[in-house]
Amino acid sequence: MPGATKLLKQEHRSIRVALDFAERMTSWIERGEDVSSEALARLMEFIHLFVEQCHHAKKEKIFFPALESKGVSTEGGPIGVMLADHERARALIQEMKGAVEKYKHGLPKSGERWARAAWDYSGLMQEHFGKEEEILFRMADSVLTPEVQGVIVADFQRLEEESCGPGKHEELRAWMRELASRQT
Ligand SMILES: [Fe+2]
């Protein structure tokens, strides 16, 4: 059974697939190509369920508190930086969601609005994952024993089932892979 940091890194890999797909869509939109509103809506659902409801919730409700209990500081420390990134990400998601609704109804410039927010979101998340993997997870591996990480993983699984429903997490991951292999 992989530890908590390894599991979070595996999730980062799935999310990076989604981010690459989002970036490809932004370039199609900027070139004036037609992108289906269905593809945009599915990507937004993945971000909502997989990234927000599951991945970030695991960190905020379980992983960060476990680190705090081992003395890793929140304010002015790495957890505070991560939380600020999550907040900025949520604001960009709201912008993207609003633009997708307008795009569905064919409103002018809505595609470009979505593309700008999606580009910023992808850049923010790529950088955020880098910081977590290079700094926070290394710190976590030095303060959380394998036993503690095992308890965290069990809590992650419970949260996943409650937030996404049983099996939904895997389904979303497979769905993202399928979506990413499509051309439009
Ligand atoms: Fe994070």
Side-chain angles (χ1 to χ4, degrees):
M1 171 64 81
T5 50
K6 200 161 178 198
L7 267 182
L8 292 171
K9 267 194 227 170
Q10 282 171 1
E11 291 184 5
H12 283 177
R13 272 201 289 280
S14 298
I15 298 168
R16 283 190 178 104
V17 172
L19 297 176
D20 288 345
F21 181 65
E23 288 188 11
R24 274 195 280 156
M25 288 207 288
T26 65
S27 52
W28 295 332
I29 288 172
E30 273 152 18
R31 285 204 303 262
E33 290 174 28
D34 215 21
V35 169
S36 77
S37 58
E38 185 236 342
L40 287 180
R42 290 185 100 190
L43 177 72
M44 294 315 296
E45 195 194 357
F46 177 86
I47 291 174
H48 174 70
L49 283 175
F50 194 94
V51 184
E52 285 298 315
Q53 300 286 101
C54 286
H55 184 71
H56 282 172
K58 282 175 189 169
K59 289 183 203 168
E60 292 181 2
K61 293 184 180 159
I62 301 165
F63 188 66
F64 295 163
L67 287 175
E68 277 162 1
S69 76
K70 297 288 174 195
V72 178
S73 60
T74 300
E75 273 187 46
I79 298 176
V81 176
M82 300 307 151
L83 289 172
D85 285 349
H86 288 186
E87 277 311 302
R88 172 83 186 119
R90 282 184 190 120
L92 288 167
I93 292 169
Q94 283 315 313
E95 273 181 50
M96 288 154 78
K97 278 185 183 165
V100 169
E101 279 310 305
K102 294 194 171 80
Y103 189 77
K104 269 190 216 156
H105 296 100
L107 265 74
K109 299 281 168 213
S110 51
E112 287 84 346
R113 269 192 57 198
W114 181 85
R116 258 197 311 276
W119 184 261
D120 289 349
Y121 176 75
S122 181
L124 172 76
M125 294 299 282
Q126 304 272 11
E127 208 187 298
H128 174 76
F129 291 163
K131 284 187 270 189
E132 284 187 327
E133 291 176 11
E134 293 304 316
I135 301 164
L136 196 69
F137 292 177
R138 285 181 190 205
M139 212 180 251
D141 285 334
S142 71
V143 296
L144 304 172
T145 62
E147 291 72 29
V148 172
Q149 293 219 17
V151 173
I152 294 174
V153 168
D155 287 343
F156 280 176
Q157 274 158 354
R158 246 191 315 278
L159 181 144
E160 208 172 280
E161 289 187 8
E162 282 165 18
S163 308
C164 288
K168 186 72 183 171
H169 207 250
E170 259 321 297
E171 190 189 309
L172 285 171
R173 220 194 283 255
W175 170 49
M176 199 63 243
R177 277 197 297 271
E178 188 265 323
L179 188 60
S181 67
R182 284 202 235 159
Q183 288 310 301
T184 53

PDB file of all heavy atoms in Angstrom, residues 103-125:
ATOM      1  N   TYR A 103     -20.425  29.995 -23.027  1.00  0.00           N
ATOM      2  CA  TYR A 103     -19.963  29.328 -24.261  1.00  0.00           C
ATOM      3  C   TYR A 103     -21.058  28.405 -24.800  1.00  0.00           C
ATOM      4  O   TYR A 103     -21.297  28.348 -26.000  1.00  0.00           O
ATOM      5  CB  TYR A 103     -18.688  28.540 -23.944  1.00  0.00           C
ATOM      6  CG  TYR A 103     -17.977  27.969 -25.152  1.00  0.00           C
ATOM      7  CD1 TYR A 103     -17.194  28.782 -25.972  1.00  0.00           C
ATOM      8  CD2 TYR A 103     -18.064  26.614 -25.471  1.00  0.00           C
ATOM      9  CE1 TYR A 103     -16.516  28.263 -27.072  1.00  0.00           C
ATOM     10  CE2 TYR A 103     -17.388  26.086 -26.574  1.00  0.00           C
ATOM     11  CZ  TYR A 103     -16.616  26.907 -27.366  1.00  0.00           C
ATOM     12  OH  TYR A 103     -15.950  26.404 -28.456  1.00  0.00           O
ATOM     13  N   LYS A 104     -21.731  27.695 -23.860  1.00  0.00           N
ATOM     14  CA  LYS A 104     -22.827  26.785 -24.240  1.00  0.00           C
ATOM     15  C   LYS A 104     -23.910  27.535 -25.007  1.00  0.00           C
ATOM     16  O   LYS A 104     -24.552  26.994 -25.882  1.00  0.00           O
ATOM     17  CB  LYS A 104     -23.482  26.204 -22.973  1.00  0.00           C
ATOM     18  CG  LYS A 104     -22.884  24.905 -22.510  1.00  0.00           C
ATOM     19  CD  LYS A 104     -23.784  24.332 -21.417  1.00  0.00           C
ATOM     20  CE  LYS A 104     -22.959  23.654 -20.357  1.00  0.00           C
ATOM     21  NZ  LYS A 104     -23.602  23.564 -19.066  1.00  0.00           N
ATOM     22  N   HIS A 105     -24.110  28.795 -24.625  1.00  0.00           N
ATOM     23  CA  HIS A 105     -25.146  29.592 -25.282  1.00  0.00           C
ATOM     24  C   HIS A 105     -24.597  30.437 -26.430  1.00  0.00           C
ATOM     25  O   HIS A 105     -25.292  31.304 -26.947  1.00  0.00           O
ATOM     26  CB  HIS A 105     -25.858  30.491 -24.252  1.00  0.00           C
ATOM     27  CG  HIS A 105     -26.595  29.692 -23.228  1.00  0.00           C
ATOM     28  ND1 HIS A 105     -26.101  29.444 -21.972  1.00  0.00           N
ATOM     29  CD2 HIS A 105     -27.778  29.032 -23.312  1.00  0.00           C
ATOM     30  CE1 HIS A 105     -26.953  28.677 -21.315  1.00  0.00           C
ATOM     31  NE2 HIS A 105     -27.969  28.408 -22.102  1.00  0.00           N
ATOM     32  N   GLY A 106     -23.355  30.152 -26.779  1.00  0.00           N
ATOM     33  CA  GLY A 106     -22.764  30.804 -27.955  1.00  0.00           C
ATOM     34  C   GLY A 106     -22.440  32.281 -27.786  1.00  0.00           C
ATOM     35  O   GLY A 106     -22.374  33.019 -28.778  1.00  0.00           O
ATOM     36  N   LEU A 107     -22.253  32.728 -26.550  1.00  0.00           N
ATOM     37  CA  LEU A 107     -21.955  34.149 -26.350  1.00  0.00           C
ATOM     38  C   LEU A 107     -20.555  34.510 -26.858  1.00  0.00           C
ATOM     39  O   LEU A 107     -19.603  33.760 -26.609  1.00  0.00           O
ATOM     40  CB  LEU A 107     -22.074  34.522 -24.865  1.00  0.00           C
ATOM     41  CG  LEU A 107     -23.435  35.089 -24.467  1.00  0.00           C
ATOM     42  CD1 LEU A 107     -24.476  33.980 -24.412  1.00  0.00           C
ATOM     43  CD2 LEU A 107     -23.340  35.762 -23.120  1.00  0.00           C
ATOM     44  N   PRO A 108     -20.432  35.654 -27.530  1.00  0.00           N
ATOM     45  CA  PRO A 108     -19.122  36.022 -28.083  1.00  0.00           C
ATOM     46  C   PRO A 108     -18.073  36.205 -26.983  1.00  0.00           C
ATOM     47  O   PRO A 108     -18.395  36.637 -25.880  1.00  0.00           O
ATOM     48  CB  PRO A 108     -19.384  37.346 -28.819  1.00  0.00           C
ATOM     49  CG  PRO A 108     -20.707  37.816 -28.340  1.00  0.00           C
ATOM     50  CD  PRO A 108     -21.478  36.630 -27.866  1.00  0.00           C
ATOM     51  N   LYS A 109     -16.863  35.858 -27.320  1.00  0.00           N
ATOM     52  CA  LYS A 109     -15.691  36.005 -26.433  1.00  0.00           C
ATOM     53  C   LYS A 109     -15.696  35.062 -25.218  1.00  0.00           C
ATOM     54  O   LYS A 109     -14.776  35.098 -24.405  1.00  0.00           O
ATOM     55  CB  LYS A 109     -15.538  37.457 -25.908  1.00  0.00           C
ATOM     56  CG  LYS A 109     -15.327  38.485 -27.009  1.00  0.00           C
ATOM     57  CD  LYS A 109     -13.885  38.465 -27.486  1.00  0.00           C
ATOM     58  CE  LYS A 109     -13.714  39.270 -28.773  1.00  0.00           C
ATOM     59  NZ  LYS A 109     -12.676  38.709 -29.636  1.00  0.00           N
ATOM     60  N   SER A 110     -16.743  34.226 -25.072  1.00  0.00           N
ATOM     61  CA  SER A 110     -16.776  33.340 -23.897  1.00  0.00           C
ATOM     62  C   SER A 110     -15.682  32.274 -23.984  1.00  0.00           C
ATOM     63  O   SER A 110     -15.097  31.900 -22.970  1.00  0.00           O
ATOM     64  CB  SER A 110     -18.158  32.701 -23.731  1.00  0.00           C
ATOM     65  OG  SER A 110     -18.563  32.105 -24.941  1.00  0.00           O
ATOM     66  N   GLY A 111     -15.388  31.801 -25.205  1.00  0.00           N
ATOM     67  CA  GLY A 111     -14.319  30.810 -25.377  1.00  0.00           C
ATOM     68  C   GLY A 111     -12.984  31.397 -24.949  1.00  0.00           C
ATOM     69  O   GLY A 111     -12.212  30.780 -24.220  1.00  0.00           O
ATOM     70  N   GLU A 112     -12.735  32.631 -25.390  1.00  0.00           N
ATOM     71  CA  GLU A 112     -11.463  33.287 -25.041  1.00  0.00           C
ATOM     72  C   GLU A 112     -11.368  33.538 -23.537  1.00  0.00           C
ATOM     73  O   GLU A 112     -10.308  33.397 -22.950  1.00  0.00           O
ATOM     74  CB  GLU A 112     -11.321  34.631 -25.777  1.00  0.00           C
ATOM     75  CG  GLU A 112     -11.024  34.515 -27.252  1.00  0.00           C
ATOM     76  CD  GLU A 112     -12.278  34.316 -28.099  1.00  0.00           C
ATOM     77  OE1 GLU A 112     -13.364  34.005 -27.550  1.00  0.00           O
ATOM     78  OE2 GLU A 112     -12.164  34.458 -29.332  1.00  0.00           O
ATOM     79  N   ARG A 113     -12.502  33.874 -22.935  1.00  0.00           N
ATOM     80  CA  ARG A 113     -12.503  34.093 -21.477  1.00  0.00           C
ATOM     81  C   ARG A 113     -12.153  32.814 -20.745  1.00  0.00           C
ATOM     82  O   ARG A 113     -11.381  32.794 -19.792  1.00  0.00           O
ATOM     83  CB  ARG A 113     -13.894  34.558 -21.011  1.00  0.00           C
ATOM     84  CG  ARG A 113     -14.045  36.049 -20.997  1.00  0.00           C
ATOM     85  CD  ARG A 113     -15.300  36.452 -20.260  1.00  0.00           C
ATOM     86  NE  ARG A 113     -15.358  35.960 -18.884  1.00  0.00           N
ATOM     87  CZ  ARG A 113     -16.463  35.885 -18.155  1.00  0.00           C
ATOM     88  NH1 ARG A 113     -17.611  36.267 -18.648  1.00  0.00           N
ATOM     89  NH2 ARG A 113     -16.428  35.446 -16.915  1.00  0.00           N
ATOM     90  N   TRP A 114     -12.757  31.722 -21.215  1.00  0.00           N
ATOM     91  CA  TRP A 114     -12.466  30.418 -20.606  1.00  0.00           C
ATOM     92  C   TRP A 114     -10.974  30.100 -20.785  1.00  0.00           C
ATOM     93  O   TRP A 114     -10.305  29.682 -19.842  1.00  0.00           O
ATOM     94  CB  TRP A 114     -13.318  29.303 -21.237  1.00  0.00           C
ATOM     95  CG  TRP A 114     -13.021  27.984 -20.596  1.00  0.00           C
ATOM     96  CD1 TRP A 114     -13.581  27.487 -19.460  1.00  0.00           C
ATOM     97  CD2 TRP A 114     -12.031  27.018 -21.018  1.00  0.00           C
ATOM     98  NE1 TRP A 114     -13.006  26.270 -19.137  1.00  0.00           N
ATOM     99  CE2 TRP A 114     -12.054  25.961 -20.073  1.00  0.00           C
ATOM    100  CE3 TRP A 114     -11.135  26.953 -22.083  1.00  0.00           C
ATOM    101  CZ2 TRP A 114     -11.224  24.848 -20.174  1.00  0.00           C
ATOM    102  CZ3 TRP A 114     -10.285  25.846 -22.184  1.00  0.00           C
ATOM    103  CH2 TRP A 114     -10.344  24.811 -21.237  1.00  0.00           C
ATOM    104  N   ALA A 115     -10.485  30.318 -22.009  1.00  0.00           N
ATOM    105  CA  ALA A 115      -9.099  29.960 -22.324  1.00  0.00           C
ATOM    106  C   ALA A 115      -8.104  30.731 -21.442  1.00  0.00           C
ATOM    107  O   ALA A 115      -7.131  30.162 -20.956  1.00  0.00           O
ATOM    108  CB  ALA A 115      -8.814  30.215 -23.806  1.00  0.00           C
ATOM    109  N   ARG A 116      -8.374  32.009 -21.226  1.00  0.00           N
ATOM    110  CA  ARG A 116      -7.461  32.810 -20.386  1.00  0.00           C
ATOM    111  C   ARG A 116      -7.412  32.277 -18.961  1.00  0.00           C
ATOM    112  O   ARG A 116      -6.345  32.079 -18.382  1.00  0.00           O
ATOM    113  CB  ARG A 116      -7.901  34.272 -20.368  1.00  0.00           C
ATOM    114  CG  ARG A 116      -7.081  35.173 -21.270  1.00  0.00           C
ATOM    115  CD  ARG A 116      -7.249  36.647 -20.945  1.00  0.00           C
ATOM    116  NE  ARG A 116      -8.646  37.049 -20.833  1.00  0.00           N
ATOM    117  CZ  ARG A 116      -9.423  37.374 -21.858  1.00  0.00           C
ATOM    118  NH1 ARG A 116      -8.930  37.355 -23.087  1.00  0.00           N
ATOM    119  NH2 ARG A 116     -10.688  37.716 -21.681  1.00  0.00           N
ATOM    120  N   ALA A 117      -8.614  32.014 -18.400  1.00  0.00           N
ATOM    121  CA  ALA A 117      -8.670  31.514 -17.020  1.00  0.00           C
ATOM    122  C   ALA A 117      -8.067  30.111 -16.932  1.00  0.00           C
ATOM    123  O   ALA A 117      -7.341  29.788 -15.981  1.00  0.00           O
ATOM    124  CB  ALA A 117     -10.118  31.513 -16.518  1.00  0.00           C
ATOM    125  N   ALA A 118      -8.338  29.280 -17.940  1.00  0.00           N
ATOM    126  CA  ALA A 118      -7.825  27.898 -17.927  1.00  0.00           C
ATOM    127  C   ALA A 118      -6.301  27.895 -18.024  1.00  0.00           C
ATOM    128  O   ALA A 118      -5.629  27.091 -17.378  1.00  0.00           O
ATOM    129  CB  ALA A 118      -8.434  27.095 -19.080  1.00  0.00           C
ATOM    130  N   TRP A 119      -5.762  28.806 -18.829  1.00  0.00           N
ATOM    131  CA  TRP A 119      -4.307  28.889 -18.977  1.00  0.00           C
ATOM    132  C   TRP A 119      -3.666  29.274 -17.637  1.00  0.00           C
ATOM    133  O   TRP A 119      -2.689  28.675 -17.201  1.00  0.00           O
ATOM    134  CB  TRP A 119      -3.956  29.911 -20.070  1.00  0.00           C
ATOM    135  CG  TRP A 119      -2.488  29.970 -20.348  1.00  0.00           C
ATOM    136  CD1 TRP A 119      -1.612  30.882 -19.867  1.00  0.00           C
ATOM    137  CD2 TRP A 119      -1.749  29.032 -21.149  1.00  0.00           C
ATOM    138  NE1 TRP A 119      -0.345  30.587 -20.320  1.00  0.00           N
ATOM    139  CE2 TRP A 119      -0.392  29.464 -21.106  1.00  0.00           C
ATOM    140  CE3 TRP A 119      -2.068  27.891 -21.882  1.00  0.00           C
ATOM    141  CZ2 TRP A 119       0.621  28.784 -21.774  1.00  0.00           C
ATOM    142  CZ3 TRP A 119      -1.052  27.216 -22.546  1.00  0.00           C
ATOM    143  CH2 TRP A 119       0.269  27.664 -22.489  1.00  0.00           C
ATOM    144  N   ASP A 120      -4.263  30.284 -16.985  1.00  0.00           N
ATOM    145  CA  ASP A 120      -3.743  30.715 -15.680  1.00  0.00           C
ATOM    146  C   ASP A 120      -3.882  29.601 -14.645  1.00  0.00           C
ATOM    147  O   ASP A 120      -2.990  29.365 -13.826  1.00  0.00           O
ATOM    148  CB  ASP A 120      -4.495  31.954 -15.172  1.00  0.00           C
ATOM    149  CG  ASP A 120      -4.153  33.197 -15.979  1.00  0.00           C
ATOM    150  OD1 ASP A 120      -3.191  33.142 -16.777  1.00  0.00           O
ATOM    151  OD2 ASP A 120      -4.849  34.218 -15.820  1.00  0.00           O
ATOM    152  N   TYR A 121      -5.017  28.909 -14.690  1.00  0.00           N
ATOM    153  CA  TYR A 121      -5.269  27.818 -13.737  1.00  0.00           C
ATOM    154  C   TYR A 121      -4.222  26.711 -13.918  1.00  0.00           C
ATOM    155  O   TYR A 121      -3.641  26.232 -12.947  1.00  0.00           O
ATOM    156  CB  TYR A 121      -6.683  27.265 -13.965  1.00  0.00           C
ATOM    157  CG  TYR A 121      -7.027  26.062 -13.112  1.00  0.00           C
ATOM    158  CD1 TYR A 121      -7.306  26.209 -11.758  1.00  0.00           C
ATOM    159  CD2 TYR A 121      -7.065  24.781 -13.661  1.00  0.00           C
ATOM    160  CE1 TYR A 121      -7.616  25.109 -10.971  1.00  0.00           C
ATOM    161  CE2 TYR A 121      -7.381  23.677 -12.889  1.00  0.00           C
ATOM    162  CZ  TYR A 121      -7.658  23.848 -11.542  1.00  0.00           C
ATOM    163  OH  TYR A 121      -7.951  22.757 -10.769  1.00  0.00           O
ATOM    164  N   SER A 122      -3.986  26.345 -15.173  1.00  0.00           N
ATOM    165  CA  SER A 122      -3.033  25.272 -15.432  1.00  0.00           C
ATOM    166  C   SER A 122      -1.632  25.659 -14.942  1.00  0.00           C
ATOM    167  O   SER A 122      -0.961  24.872 -14.276  1.00  0.00           O
ATOM    168  CB  SER A 122      -3.012  24.941 -16.926  1.00  0.00           C
ATOM    169  OG  SER A 122      -2.111  23.898 -17.151  1.00  0.00           O
ATOM    170  N   GLY A 123      -1.224  26.892 -15.242  1.00  0.00           N
ATOM    171  CA  GLY A 123       0.100  27.352 -14.805  1.00  0.00           C
ATOM    172  C   GLY A 123       0.215  27.343 -13.289  1.00  0.00           C
ATOM    173  O   GLY A 123       1.210  26.874 -12.724  1.00  0.00           O
ATOM    174  N   LEU A 124      -0.836  27.839 -12.634  1.00  0.00           N
ATOM    175  CA  LEU A 124      -0.845  27.880 -11.170  1.00  0.00           C
ATOM    176  C   LEU A 124      -0.729  26.470 -10.581  1.00  0.00           C
ATOM    177  O   LEU A 124       0.063  26.225  -9.670  1.00  0.00           O
ATOM    178  CB  LEU A 124      -2.152  28.537 -10.691  1.00  0.00           C
ATOM    179  CG  LEU A 124      -2.435  28.509  -9.190  1.00  0.00           C
ATOM    180  CD1 LEU A 124      -1.571  29.531  -8.454  1.00  0.00           C
ATOM    181  CD2 LEU A 124      -3.904  28.790  -8.893  1.00  0.00           C
ATOM    182  N   MET A 125      -1.510  25.546 -11.121  1.00  0.00           N
ATOM    183  CA  MET A 125      -1.514  24.193 -10.576  1.00  0.00           C
ATOM    184  C   MET A 125      -0.191  23.457 -10.827  1.00  0.00           C
ATOM    185  O   MET A 125       0.304  22.742  -9.959  1.00  0.00           O
ATOM    186  CB  MET A 125      -2.682  23.377 -11.170  1.00  0.00           C
ATOM    187  CG  MET A 125      -4.042  23.890 -10.757  1.00  0.00           C
ATOM    188  SD  MET A 125      -4.291  23.825  -8.978  1.00  0.00           S
ATOM    189  CE  MET A 125      -4.648  22.094  -8.825  1.00  0.00           C
TER     190      MET A 125
END
